[in-house]
Amino acid sequence: MFGLKSHQKELIKLSRKCVPKLTPKLYKGQCGKICVVGGCEEYTGAPYFSAHAASIFGSDLVYLLCEKRAGLPIKGYSPNLMVHPYLGDSYSSTHGFQYDFERVTSLVQRCHVLVVGPGLGRDEQMLQQVLQLVEEAPTLGDDHDRCLILDADGLFLLSSESYTERMQKALKKYGDDRVVITPNCVELKRIMTTLEVDSVEKVSEKLGCITVAKGQIDVIVNSLGERWENDYEGSMKRCGGQGDTLTGIIATMLGFSRAVGDFKLASLEGDDAKPLSWAKMAMLSCFIGSTATKLASKAAYEKVGRQLQTTDMNNMVGEVFEKLYPSQPN
Ligand SMILES: NC(=O)C1=CN([C@@H]2O[C@H](COP(=O)(O)OP(=O)(O)OC[C@H]3O[C@@H](n4cnc5c(N)ncnc54)[C@H](O)[C@@H]3O)[C@@H](O)[C@H]2O)[C@@H](O)CC1
Ligand SMILES: Nc1ncnc2c1ncn2[C@@H]1O[C@H](COP(=O)(O)OP(=O)(O)OP(=O)(O)O)[C@@H](O)[C@H]1O
């Protein structure tokens, strides 16, 4: 399949244990409730790509929490997403917008997985609102195993001198390997400088998280130092937004893993399958995110060539899911 190597095929096979089986007894939301936090006046594409990829890779409910002025454009991209423009930047706040943290928490406490950062921007008020959310999210409602994915401006919060102390403290409140960070090469360097460490392993250990260090080869390392490398080729077109597709797919896989591991739904391997540990499911979720993103990029490049945009790639994400996990007969 797609020129994948045998060890990659083995991991894809194992990941079937993370994917819930569809049955007539399921109700809405059991196969994942995701909230993407990002989107501001300048960037409306990034959170959309993440949320859209999460939807078409199979999550049941995908919410998008964004800046007030980003809400309408993003709603216009898709009626499938539930867009909540409850965040306010410095401009909105001086033009009649009143920030209400309770509206935010009532949304977030329903969600199994949060993606924080795509297209968030660097406005001071937005960063403060999101930092508070990252701090409170692990203790909201009854769910204390909520997962968090940090990317883009969410990673800026981690590497910036002004916010890093609070962010590092906040990440400690999440369970082991419940936080995933997805830095590109430049973001990784900034994080390593701020944390004063010299390897991906030390980043993961210090934060108690999984790091997906993106590049030609994606390097995935968990908090115990387990290291996987994904050298599947993908495509050579480097348009902006491919990292957003990645966070959306990882979010869906973490939501699936929670459905099977935390909420005990049957997986594609059936009820008798020996369950995997959370550590293994979380690593597999990141590996599938990386593989499916590269597969979508390759498939889109084969279709449209060098004009490839993230919209082309995102359009392949559902097809990639079907190739990885062919549908059971209905
Ligand atoms: N359509 C959209 O709305 C998009 C919005 N985006 C958002 O744009 C905002 C700023 O993101 P930036 O990524 O520009 O962040 P930064 O302003 O931190 O810039 C990072 C810089 O690093 C460079 N870089 C990345 N990988 C590199 C590598 N391997 N070697 C050398 N240089 C490398 C990039 O070209 C970029 O200039 C974020 O909020 C992000 O989510 C991006 O996600 C792209 C798509
Ligand atoms: N040289 C490369 N060859 C193949 N795939 C790559 C290469 N560099 C990055 N990728 C893939 O592209 C995806 C996004 O990585 P990238 O480094 O572009 O992130 P990013 O800069 O954060 O993206 P974004 O534009 O969304 O902010 C990852 O899945 C990664 O595997």
Side-chain angles (χ1 to χ4, degrees), residues 136-178:
E136 307 272 332
T139 48
L140 285 178
D142 301 331
D143 182 1
H144 301 303
D145 293 313
R146 194 166 280 122
C147 294
L148 170 71
I149 301 169
L150 281 181
D151 188 36
D153 304 310
L155 294 175
F156 172 75
L157 280 170
L158 193 56
S159 60
S160 152
E161 288 297 340
S162 318
Y163 305 104
T164 190
E165 205 175 307
R166 271 178 73 188
M167 272 301 269
Q168 289 183 51
K169 208 166 153 204
L171 299 191
K172 293 271 175 280
K173 297 192 203 168
Y174 293 77
D176 286 344
D177 294 338
R178 296 274 167 172

mmCIF file of all heavy atoms in Angstrom, residues 136-178:
data_model
loop_
_atom_site.group_PDB
_atom_site.id
_atom_site.type_symbol
_atom_site.label_atom_id
_atom_site.label_comp_id
_atom_site.label_asym_id
_atom_site.label_seq_id
_atom_site.Cartn_x
_atom_site.Cartn_y
_atom_site.Cartn_z
ATOM 1 N N GLU A 136 -6.465 25.814 32.964
ATOM 2 C CA GLU A 136 -7.687 25.289 33.604
ATOM 3 C C GLU A 136 -8.188 23.997 32.964
ATOM 4 O O GLU A 136 -8.882 23.219 33.606
ATOM 5 C CB GLU A 136 -8.814 26.331 33.508
ATOM 6 C CG GLU A 136 -8.459 27.707 34.032
ATOM 7 C CD GLU A 136 -8.715 27.875 35.521
ATOM 8 O OE1 GLU A 136 -9.598 27.192 36.040
ATOM 9 O OE2 GLU A 136 -8.006 28.694 36.131
ATOM 10 N N ALA A 137 -7.861 23.774 31.697
ATOM 11 C CA ALA A 137 -8.478 22.664 30.948
ATOM 12 C C ALA A 137 -8.342 21.285 31.605
ATOM 13 O O ALA A 137 -9.297 20.500 31.574
ATOM 14 C CB ALA A 137 -7.946 22.631 29.519
ATOM 15 N N PRO A 138 -7.187 20.955 32.213
ATOM 16 C CA PRO A 138 -7.095 19.593 32.759
ATOM 17 C C PRO A 138 -8.003 19.328 33.948
ATOM 18 O O PRO A 138 -8.190 18.157 34.330
ATOM 19 C CB PRO A 138 -5.619 19.451 33.140
ATOM 20 C CG PRO A 138 -5.027 20.788 33.079
ATOM 21 C CD PRO A 138 -5.921 21.687 32.294
ATOM 22 N N THR A 139 -8.562 20.362 34.559
ATOM 23 C CA THR A 139 -9.423 20.121 35.722
ATOM 24 C C THR A 139 -10.875 20.529 35.473
ATOM 25 O O THR A 139 -11.692 20.543 36.396
ATOM 26 C CB THR A 139 -8.877 20.889 36.959
ATOM 27 O OG1 THR A 139 -8.607 22.229 36.565
ATOM 28 C CG2 THR A 139 -7.612 20.255 37.498
ATOM 29 N N LEU A 140 -11.210 20.832 34.235
ATOM 30 C CA LEU A 140 -12.598 21.241 33.943
ATOM 31 C C LEU A 140 -13.528 20.037 33.877
ATOM 32 O O LEU A 140 -13.213 19.040 33.217
ATOM 33 C CB LEU A 140 -12.664 21.952 32.586
ATOM 34 C CG LEU A 140 -12.126 23.383 32.516
ATOM 35 C CD1 LEU A 140 -12.219 23.896 31.088
ATOM 36 C CD2 LEU A 140 -12.903 24.289 33.456
ATOM 37 N N GLY A 141 -14.684 20.125 34.539
ATOM 38 C CA GLY A 141 -15.677 19.050 34.471
ATOM 39 C C GLY A 141 -15.154 17.784 35.126
ATOM 40 O O GLY A 141 -14.287 17.816 36.004
ATOM 41 N N ASP A 142 -15.695 16.624 34.672
ATOM 42 C CA ASP A 142 -15.313 15.343 35.293
ATOM 43 C C ASP A 142 -14.121 14.695 34.604
ATOM 44 O O ASP A 142 -13.631 13.655 35.036
ATOM 45 C CB ASP A 142 -16.477 14.325 35.166
ATOM 46 C CG ASP A 142 -17.715 14.853 35.837
ATOM 47 O OD1 ASP A 142 -17.560 15.625 36.794
ATOM 48 O OD2 ASP A 142 -18.824 14.499 35.379
ATOM 49 N N ASP A 143 -13.713 15.244 33.488
ATOM 50 C CA ASP A 143 -12.696 14.577 32.666
ATOM 51 C C ASP A 143 -11.308 15.109 33.032
ATOM 52 O O ASP A 143 -10.965 16.240 32.706
ATOM 53 C CB ASP A 143 -13.013 14.866 31.181
ATOM 54 C CG ASP A 143 -12.037 14.179 30.238
ATOM 55 O OD1 ASP A 143 -11.138 13.461 30.727
ATOM 56 O OD2 ASP A 143 -12.183 14.353 29.012
ATOM 57 N N HIS A 144 -10.518 14.260 33.688
ATOM 58 C CA HIS A 144 -9.177 14.701 34.070
ATOM 59 C C HIS A 144 -8.095 14.071 33.204
ATOM 60 O O HIS A 144 -6.917 14.083 33.557
ATOM 61 C CB HIS A 144 -8.936 14.418 35.554
ATOM 62 C CG HIS A 144 -9.938 15.115 36.431
ATOM 63 N ND1 HIS A 144 -10.109 16.483 36.395
ATOM 64 C CD2 HIS A 144 -10.860 14.643 37.302
ATOM 65 C CE1 HIS A 144 -11.084 16.822 37.225
ATOM 66 N NE2 HIS A 144 -11.565 15.719 37.774
ATOM 67 N N ASP A 145 -8.496 13.481 32.096
ATOM 68 C CA ASP A 145 -7.527 12.854 31.186
ATOM 69 C C ASP A 145 -7.537 13.524 29.819
ATOM 70 O O ASP A 145 -7.108 12.943 28.824
ATOM 71 C CB ASP A 145 -7.846 11.351 31.022
ATOM 72 C CG ASP A 145 -7.607 10.608 32.313
ATOM 73 O OD1 ASP A 145 -6.544 10.827 32.913
ATOM 74 O OD2 ASP A 145 -8.490 9.826 32.729
ATOM 75 N N ARG A 146 -8.069 14.736 29.796
ATOM 76 C CA ARG A 146 -8.170 15.476 28.530
ATOM 77 C C ARG A 146 -6.787 15.587 27.875
ATOM 78 O O ARG A 146 -5.775 15.721 28.560
ATOM 79 C CB ARG A 146 -8.733 16.868 28.859
ATOM 80 C CG ARG A 146 -9.221 17.650 27.694
ATOM 81 C CD ARG A 146 -10.071 18.844 28.151
ATOM 82 N NE ARG A 146 -11.440 18.458 28.488
ATOM 83 C CZ ARG A 146 -12.005 18.650 29.672
ATOM 84 N NH1 ARG A 146 -11.347 19.238 30.642
ATOM 85 N NH2 ARG A 146 -13.244 18.258 29.883
ATOM 86 N N CYS A 147 -6.772 15.518 26.541
ATOM 87 C CA CYS A 147 -5.498 15.640 25.809
ATOM 88 C C CYS A 147 -5.350 17.042 25.234
ATOM 89 O O CYS A 147 -6.347 17.701 24.914
ATOM 90 C CB CYS A 147 -5.448 14.644 24.656
ATOM 91 S SG CYS A 147 -5.418 12.936 25.181
ATOM 92 N N LEU A 148 -4.122 17.454 25.073
ATOM 93 C CA LEU A 148 -3.819 18.786 24.539
ATOM 94 C C LEU A 148 -2.749 18.653 23.463
ATOM 95 O O LEU A 148 -1.725 17.997 23.680
ATOM 96 C CB LEU A 148 -3.277 19.666 25.683
ATOM 97 C CG LEU A 148 -2.678 21.010 25.296
ATOM 98 C CD1 LEU A 148 -3.765 21.990 24.833
ATOM 99 C CD2 LEU A 148 -1.918 21.622 26.485
ATOM 100 N N ILE A 149 -3.001 19.256 22.307
ATOM 101 C CA ILE A 149 -1.979 19.330 21.255
ATOM 102 C C ILE A 149 -1.600 20.805 21.106
ATOM 103 O O ILE A 149 -2.476 21.658 20.956
ATOM 104 C CB ILE A 149 -2.530 18.796 19.911
ATOM 105 C CG1 ILE A 149 -2.997 17.346 20.067
ATOM 106 C CG2 ILE A 149 -1.480 18.911 18.809
ATOM 107 C CD1 ILE A 149 -3.792 16.831 18.880
ATOM 108 N N LEU A 150 -0.313 21.084 21.166
ATOM 109 C CA LEU A 150 0.162 22.472 21.021
ATOM 110 C C LEU A 150 0.924 22.629 19.728
ATOM 111 O O LEU A 150 1.838 21.845 19.437
ATOM 112 C CB LEU A 150 1.138 22.811 22.160
ATOM 113 C CG LEU A 150 0.612 23.157 23.533
ATOM 114 C CD1 LEU A 150 1.795 23.458 24.454
ATOM 115 C CD2 LEU A 150 -0.349 24.338 23.500
ATOM 116 N N ASP A 151 0.549 23.651 18.945
ATOM 117 C CA ASP A 151 1.258 23.912 17.691
ATOM 118 C C ASP A 151 1.337 25.430 17.481
ATOM 119 O O ASP A 151 0.655 26.207 18.163
ATOM 120 C CB ASP A 151 0.503 23.235 16.528
ATOM 121 C CG ASP A 151 1.274 23.280 15.223
ATOM 122 O OD1 ASP A 151 2.510 23.169 15.265
ATOM 123 O OD2 ASP A 151 0.646 23.424 14.151
ATOM 124 N N ALA A 152 2.145 25.823 16.519
ATOM 125 C CA ALA A 152 2.229 27.218 16.058
ATOM 126 C C ALA A 152 2.293 28.219 17.228
ATOM 127 O O ALA A 152 3.196 28.133 18.045
ATOM 128 C CB ALA A 152 1.045 27.506 15.110
ATOM 129 N N ASP A 153 1.303 29.124 17.340
ATOM 130 C CA ASP A 153 1.378 30.152 18.382
ATOM 131 C C ASP A 153 1.165 29.577 19.782
ATOM 132 O O ASP A 153 1.525 30.212 20.773
ATOM 133 C CB ASP A 153 0.374 31.276 18.086
ATOM 134 C CG ASP A 153 0.619 31.862 16.701
ATOM 135 O OD1 ASP A 153 1.771 32.193 16.395
ATOM 136 O OD2 ASP A 153 -0.342 31.943 15.914
ATOM 137 N N GLY A 154 0.624 28.379 19.868
ATOM 138 C CA GLY A 154 0.561 27.671 21.157
ATOM 139 C C GLY A 154 1.974 27.324 21.599
ATOM 140 O O GLY A 154 2.293 27.356 22.796
ATOM 141 N N LEU A 155 2.846 27.026 20.622
ATOM 142 C CA LEU A 155 4.247 26.738 20.952
ATOM 143 C C LEU A 155 5.003 28.026 21.277
ATOM 144 O O LEU A 155 5.973 28.006 22.036
ATOM 145 C CB LEU A 155 4.928 26.009 19.781
ATOM 146 C CG LEU A 155 4.373 24.621 19.499
ATOM 147 C CD1 LEU A 155 5.024 24.035 18.248
ATOM 148 C CD2 LEU A 155 4.591 23.696 20.683
ATOM 149 N N PHE A 156 4.530 29.135 20.707
ATOM 150 C CA PHE A 156 5.142 30.429 21.050
ATOM 151 C C PHE A 156 4.976 30.683 22.550
ATOM 152 O O PHE A 156 5.881 31.167 23.219
ATOM 153 C CB PHE A 156 4.494 31.549 20.220
ATOM 154 C CG PHE A 156 4.923 32.925 20.642
ATOM 155 C CD1 PHE A 156 6.185 33.404 20.306
ATOM 156 C CD2 PHE A 156 4.076 33.733 21.391
ATOM 157 C CE1 PHE A 156 6.588 34.677 20.713
ATOM 158 C CE2 PHE A 156 4.469 35.000 21.801
ATOM 159 C CZ PHE A 156 5.729 35.473 21.462
ATOM 160 N N LEU A 157 3.798 30.317 23.083
ATOM 161 C CA LEU A 157 3.572 30.491 24.527
ATOM 162 C C LEU A 157 4.609 29.710 25.336
ATOM 163 O O LEU A 157 5.000 30.118 26.419
ATOM 164 C CB LEU A 157 2.171 30.005 24.903
ATOM 165 C CG LEU A 157 0.994 30.940 24.631
ATOM 166 C CD1 LEU A 157 -0.330 30.215 24.829
ATOM 167 C CD2 LEU A 157 1.051 32.163 25.548
ATOM 168 N N LEU A 158 5.022 28.574 24.781
ATOM 169 C CA LEU A 158 5.983 27.720 25.487
ATOM 170 C C LEU A 158 7.404 28.256 25.372
ATOM 171 O O LEU A 158 8.200 28.133 26.300
ATOM 172 C CB LEU A 158 5.897 26.310 24.884
ATOM 173 C CG LEU A 158 6.566 25.171 25.613
ATOM 174 C CD1 LEU A 158 6.063 25.067 27.033
ATOM 175 C CD2 LEU A 158 6.292 23.864 24.863
ATOM 176 N N SER A 159 7.733 28.849 24.230
ATOM 177 C CA SER A 159 9.127 29.281 24.043
ATOM 178 C C SER A 159 9.357 30.741 24.431
ATOM 179 O O SER A 159 10.502 31.164 24.550
ATOM 180 C CB SER A 159 9.559 29.046 22.587
ATOM 181 O OG SER A 159 8.741 29.770 21.712
ATOM 182 N N SER A 160 8.279 31.486 24.640
ATOM 183 C CA SER A 160 8.459 32.902 24.957
ATOM 184 C C SER A 160 8.815 33.085 26.435
ATOM 185 O O SER A 160 8.173 32.514 27.319
ATOM 186 C CB SER A 160 7.153 33.638 24.624
ATOM 187 O OG SER A 160 7.030 34.756 25.432
ATOM 188 N N GLU A 161 9.837 33.915 26.683
ATOM 189 C CA GLU A 161 10.284 34.169 28.069
ATOM 190 C C GLU A 161 9.126 34.640 28.957
ATOM 191 O O GLU A 161 9.054 34.317 30.130
ATOM 192 C CB GLU A 161 11.395 35.230 28.091
ATOM 193 C CG GLU A 161 12.741 34.744 27.551
ATOM 194 C CD GLU A 161 13.341 33.604 28.376
ATOM 195 O OE1 GLU A 161 12.953 33.428 29.541
ATOM 196 O OE2 GLU A 161 14.176 32.855 27.818
ATOM 197 N N SER A 162 8.198 35.412 28.357
ATOM 198 C CA SER A 162 7.119 36.001 29.162
ATOM 199 C C SER A 162 6.115 34.957 29.660
ATOM 200 O O SER A 162 5.435 35.184 30.644
ATOM 201 C CB SER A 162 6.335 37.020 28.344
ATOM 202 O OG SER A 162 7.168 37.803 27.586
ATOM 203 N N TYR A 163 5.966 33.858 28.944
ATOM 204 C CA TYR A 163 4.882 32.915 29.286
ATOM 205 C C TYR A 163 5.375 31.522 29.677
ATOM 206 O O TYR A 163 4.603 30.721 30.168
ATOM 207 C CB TYR A 163 3.929 32.739 28.085
ATOM 208 C CG TYR A 163 3.366 34.023 27.550
ATOM 209 C CD1 TYR A 163 3.847 34.577 26.369
ATOM 210 C CD2 TYR A 163 2.342 34.698 28.230
ATOM 211 C CE1 TYR A 163 3.330 35.765 25.870
ATOM 212 C CE2 TYR A 163 1.821 35.886 27.730
ATOM 213 C CZ TYR A 163 2.321 36.413 26.552
ATOM 214 O OH TYR A 163 1.811 37.580 26.061
ATOM 215 N N THR A 164 6.646 31.228 29.401
ATOM 216 C CA THR A 164 7.078 29.827 29.503
ATOM 217 C C THR A 164 6.895 29.226 30.899
ATOM 218 O O THR A 164 6.492 28.069 31.030
ATOM 219 C CB THR A 164 8.527 29.638 28.999
ATOM 220 O OG1 THR A 164 8.790 28.244 28.913
ATOM 221 C CG2 THR A 164 9.542 30.309 29.887
ATOM 222 N N GLU A 165 7.153 30.029 31.933
ATOM 223 C CA GLU A 165 7.057 29.473 33.290
ATOM 224 C C GLU A 165 5.624 28.984 33.566
ATOM 225 O O GLU A 165 5.422 27.854 34.020
ATOM 226 C CB GLU A 165 7.449 30.548 34.295
ATOM 227 C CG GLU A 165 7.963 29.974 35.592
ATOM 228 C CD GLU A 165 8.448 31.088 36.513
ATOM 229 O OE1 GLU A 165 9.287 31.921 36.083
ATOM 230 O OE2 GLU A 165 7.948 31.139 37.640
ATOM 231 N N ARG A 166 4.657 29.829 33.246
ATOM 232 C CA ARG A 166 3.245 29.439 33.474
ATOM 233 C C ARG A 166 2.864 28.261 32.594
ATOM 234 O O ARG A 166 2.137 27.362 33.018
ATOM 235 C CB ARG A 166 2.323 30.635 33.191
ATOM 236 C CG ARG A 166 2.101 31.502 34.419
ATOM 237 C CD ARG A 166 1.247 32.693 34.112
ATOM 238 N NE ARG A 166 -0.167 32.374 33.899
ATOM 239 C CZ ARG A 166 -1.072 33.255 33.470
ATOM 240 N NH1 ARG A 166 -0.707 34.495 33.205
ATOM 241 N NH2 ARG A 166 -2.335 32.896 33.301
ATOM 242 N N MET A 167 3.348 28.270 31.348
ATOM 243 C CA MET A 167 3.000 27.161 30.443
ATOM 244 C C MET A 167 3.577 25.842 30.952
ATOM 245 O O MET A 167 2.891 24.817 30.988
ATOM 246 C CB MET A 167 3.542 27.426 29.027
ATOM 247 C CG MET A 167 2.644 28.200 28.130
ATOM 248 S SD MET A 167 1.040 27.422 27.865
ATOM 249 C CE MET A 167 1.334 26.436 26.429
ATOM 250 N N GLN A 168 4.840 25.867 31.347
ATOM 251 C CA GLN A 168 5.466 24.622 31.817
ATOM 252 C C GLN A 168 4.735 24.077 33.039
ATOM 253 O O GLN A 168 4.519 22.867 33.164
ATOM 254 C CB GLN A 168 6.937 24.854 32.136
ATOM 255 C CG GLN A 168 7.793 25.066 30.889
ATOM 256 C CD GLN A 168 9.269 25.215 31.230
ATOM 257 O OE1 GLN A 168 9.843 24.392 31.939
ATOM 258 N NE2 GLN A 168 9.889 26.273 30.735
ATOM 259 N N LYS A 169 4.343 24.977 33.921
ATOM 260 C CA LYS A 169 3.598 24.577 35.122
ATOM 261 C C LYS A 169 2.238 23.990 34.717
ATOM 262 O O LYS A 169 1.797 22.971 35.238
ATOM 263 C CB LYS A 169 3.396 25.808 36.013
ATOM 264 C CG LYS A 169 3.276 25.482 37.474
ATOM 265 C CD LYS A 169 3.421 26.743 38.302
ATOM 266 C CE LYS A 169 2.666 26.533 39.602
ATOM 267 N NZ LYS A 169 2.263 27.768 40.225
ATOM 268 N N ALA A 170 1.592 24.631 33.762
ATOM 269 C CA ALA A 170 0.270 24.165 33.312
ATOM 270 C C ALA A 170 0.362 22.762 32.693
ATOM 271 O O ALA A 170 -0.479 21.900 32.956
ATOM 272 C CB ALA A 170 -0.307 25.143 32.290
ATOM 273 N N LEU A 171 1.401 22.525 31.898
ATOM 274 C CA LEU A 171 1.506 21.222 31.217
ATOM 275 C C LEU A 171 1.684 20.077 32.211
ATOM 276 O O LEU A 171 1.287 18.945 31.946
ATOM 277 C CB LEU A 171 2.643 21.224 30.184
ATOM 278 C CG LEU A 171 2.515 22.233 29.031
ATOM 279 C CD1 LEU A 171 3.542 21.948 27.941
ATOM 280 C CD2 LEU A 171 1.112 22.253 28.414
ATOM 281 N N LYS A 172 2.260 20.390 33.366
ATOM 282 C CA LYS A 172 2.457 19.354 34.404
ATOM 283 C C LYS A 172 1.118 18.851 34.952
ATOM 284 O O LYS A 172 1.050 17.788 35.567
ATOM 285 C CB LYS A 172 3.282 19.916 35.570
ATOM 286 C CG LYS A 172 4.720 20.260 35.226
ATOM 287 C CD LYS A 172 5.628 19.052 35.435
ATOM 288 C CE LYS A 172 7.062 19.270 35.008
ATOM 289 N NZ LYS A 172 7.352 19.152 33.604
ATOM 290 N N LYS A 173 0.049 19.630 34.773
ATOM 291 C CA LYS A 173 -1.260 19.216 35.306
ATOM 292 C C LYS A 173 -1.920 18.145 34.444
ATOM 293 O O LYS A 173 -2.911 17.542 34.839
ATOM 294 C CB LYS A 173 -2.208 20.425 35.369
ATOM 295 C CG LYS A 173 -1.775 21.531 36.293
ATOM 296 C CD LYS A 173 -2.961 22.483 36.438
ATOM 297 C CE LYS A 173 -2.598 23.854 36.855
ATOM 298 N NZ LYS A 173 -3.706 24.795 36.703
ATOM 299 N N TYR A 174 -1.425 17.962 33.222
ATOM 300 C CA TYR A 174 -2.005 16.939 32.334
ATOM 301 C C TYR A 174 -1.324 15.607 32.633
ATOM 302 O O TYR A 174 -0.208 15.557 33.145
ATOM 303 C CB TYR A 174 -1.767 17.315 30.863
ATOM 304 C CG TYR A 174 -2.515 18.554 30.415
ATOM 305 C CD1 TYR A 174 -2.075 19.831 30.774
ATOM 306 C CD2 TYR A 174 -3.672 18.463 29.637
ATOM 307 C CE1 TYR A 174 -2.754 20.976 30.376
ATOM 308 C CE2 TYR A 174 -4.361 19.603 29.237
ATOM 309 C CZ TYR A 174 -3.899 20.853 29.610
ATOM 310 O OH TYR A 174 -4.570 21.987 29.210
ATOM 311 N N GLY A 175 -1.997 14.511 32.297
ATOM 312 C CA GLY A 175 -1.417 13.191 32.527
ATOM 313 C C GLY A 175 -0.208 12.951 31.625
ATOM 314 O O GLY A 175 0.006 13.673 30.649
ATOM 315 N N ASP A 176 0.593 11.908 31.962
ATOM 316 C CA ASP A 176 1.766 11.579 31.143
ATOM 317 C C ASP A 176 1.340 11.293 29.714
ATOM 318 O O ASP A 176 0.394 10.540 29.471
ATOM 319 C CB ASP A 176 2.477 10.332 31.691
ATOM 320 C CG ASP A 176 3.230 10.661 32.965
ATOM 321 O OD1 ASP A 176 3.437 11.865 33.236
ATOM 322 O OD2 ASP A 176 3.582 9.713 33.691
ATOM 323 N N ASP A 177 2.046 11.879 28.770
ATOM 324 C CA ASP A 177 1.795 11.677 27.326
ATOM 325 C C ASP A 177 0.357 12.034 26.932
ATOM 326 O O ASP A 177 -0.173 11.509 25.951
ATOM 327 C CB ASP A 177 2.133 10.237 26.897
ATOM 328 C CG ASP A 177 3.622 9.948 27.020
ATOM 329 O OD1 ASP A 177 4.406 10.901 27.020
ATOM 330 O OD2 ASP A 177 3.987 8.760 27.114
ATOM 331 N N ARG A 178 -0.270 12.922 27.696
ATOM 332 C CA ARG A 178 -1.585 13.469 27.293
ATOM 333 C C ARG A 178 -1.366 14.788 26.547
ATOM 334 O O ARG A 178 -2.309 15.341 25.995
ATOM 335 C CB ARG A 178 -2.478 13.714 28.510
ATOM 336 C CG ARG A 178 -2.839 12.436 29.254
ATOM 337 C CD ARG A 178 -4.055 11.766 28.651
ATOM 338 N NE ARG A 178 -4.226 10.409 29.142
ATOM 339 C CZ ARG A 178 -5.281 9.653 28.891
ATOM 340 N NH1 ARG A 178 -6.266 10.089 28.142
ATOM 341 N NH2 ARG A 178 -5.351 8.428 29.352
#
